[in-house]
């Protein structure tokens, strides 16, 4: 009799779902005061830089396959500590951009809140287009399409996406099956992480929203 040759161990199988972590950029000097939109030249504050570092710390122990960011400075700066920690480059993804607020770009929130149109933004956003800018419906379709594309490109992996409050709220609302007119009920804080997984033939699953503290390794436990 001859001894059987032991078979080689099977390689670990990839998870069936693709996990996308949606990170809002850290605070800037104007956070909560103006509608910055896509205006260039806005950088993280000291607190915002600390929030970016915290995101990288929370990812310790979680295998990350790719890092993507909105092209704006504040998101790329938030992505840098994570990219350095996981040893990957930051890829700019236009689909993660802030909403194009058009003529409202850079206007103080205190001024905007007094406009009749502001009530539409808050209570019937699906019917609103920013003057000379993007509609909120277009914004939602844009980020959802971008996330679905990234999920397909990195099937079974973990992708960290750095974006902005309104696009992340719109993506979470879509994944929850919530009407866009209710997306303002979702809170997305600076430096927070929300997690959505995508699986072939299934609806997206929302694992966490607006998380700012706990380690993220449990998402792939």
């Amino acid at each position: 009799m001859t001894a059987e040759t032991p078979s080689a161990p099977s390689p670990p199988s990839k998870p069936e779902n693709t996990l996308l972590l949606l990170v809002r950029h850290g605070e800037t000097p104007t956070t909560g005061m103006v509608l910055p939109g896509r205006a260039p030249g806005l950088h993280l504050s000291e607190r915002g830089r600390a929030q970016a570092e915290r995101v990288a710390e929370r990812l310790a122990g979680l295998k990350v396959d790719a890092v993507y960011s909105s092209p704006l400075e504040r998101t790329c700066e938030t992505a840098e500590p994570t990219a350095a920690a996981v040893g990957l480059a930051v890829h700019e993804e236009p689909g993660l951009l802030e909403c194009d607020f058009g003529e409202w770009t850079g206007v103080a929130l205190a001024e905007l809140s007094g406009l009749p149109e502001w009530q539409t933004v808050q209570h019937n956003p699906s019917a609103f287009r920013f003057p000379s800018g993007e509609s909120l419906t277009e914004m939602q379709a844009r980020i959802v399409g971008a996330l679905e594309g990234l999920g397909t490109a990195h099937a079974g992996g973990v992708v960290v996406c750095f974006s902005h409050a309104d696009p992340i709220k719109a993506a979470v609302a879509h994944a929850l099956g919530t009407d866009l007119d209710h997306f303002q009920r979702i809170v997305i804080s600076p430096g927070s992480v929300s997690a959505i997984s995508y699986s072939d033939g299934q609806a997206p699953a929302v694992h966490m929203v607006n998380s700012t503290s706990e380690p993220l390794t449990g998402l792939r436990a």
Side-chain angles (χ1 to χ4, degrees):
M1 297 180 63
T2 57
E4 293 185 5
T5 303
S7 58
S10 300
S13 58
K14 275 196 168 186
E16 293 182 358
N17 62 52
T18 307
L19 184 65
L20 271 62
L21 305 182
L22 311 184
V23 184
R24 181 184 174 186
H25 64 80
E27 288 185 16
T28 74
T30 67
T31 296
M33 294 185 287
V34 303
L35 205 62
R38 299 180 179 182
L42 183 58
H43 300 274
L44 296 182
S45 64
E46 183 176 349
R47 180 175 171 84
R49 290 191 293 272
Q51 291 166 337
E53 294 287 350
R54 179 61 181 146
V55 172
E57 293 168 1
R58 296 176 64 200
L59 285 163
L62 184 66
K63 183 184 181 303
V64 173
D65 295 87
V67 178
Y68 288 87
S69 175
S70 154
L72 295 175
E73 293 97 333
R74 59 192 185 271
T75 39
C76 290
E77 290 170 6
T78 307
E80 286 169 2
T82 289
V86 301
L88 295 171
V90 179
H91 300 283
E92 293 186 2
E93 170 51 63
L96 300 176
L97 263 170
E98 176 63 287
C99 186
D100 182 357
F101 296 129
E103 295 173 14
W104 286 16
T105 299
V107 179
L109 292 173
E111 179 181 341
L112 293 172
S113 64
L115 299 177
E117 296 91 336
W118 188 253
Q119 295 306 311
T120 303
V121 174
Q122 298 304 310
H123 303 295
N124 190 23
S126 66
F128 190 77
R129 175 183 296 278
F130 291 96
S132 302
E134 193 173 26
S135 75
L136 287 161
T137 301
E138 289 170 341
M139 177 199 71
Q140 183 181 52
R142 168 172 56 78
I143 190 165
V144 168
L147 296 178
E148 289 176 347
L150 295 178
T152 299
H154 301 280
V158 176
V159 183
V160 188
C161 303
F162 291 83
S163 187
H164 307 264
D166 281 350
I168 294 174
K169 288 194 293 184
V172 170
H174 178 270
L176 289 170
T178 299
D179 193 283
L180 182 62
D181 284 336
H182 298 146
F183 96 121
Q184 298 286 23
R185 300 181 185 184
I186 299 169
V187 175
I188 300 295
S189 304
S192 67
V193 181
S194 301
I196 303 173
S197 67
Y198 293 84
S199 303
D200 287 342
Q202 298 181 32
V206 178
H207 298 260
M208 63 167 52
V209 178
N210 199 42
S211 170
T212 57
S213 57
E214 72 271 28
L216 299 167
T217 52
L219 291 168
R220 275 291 196 234

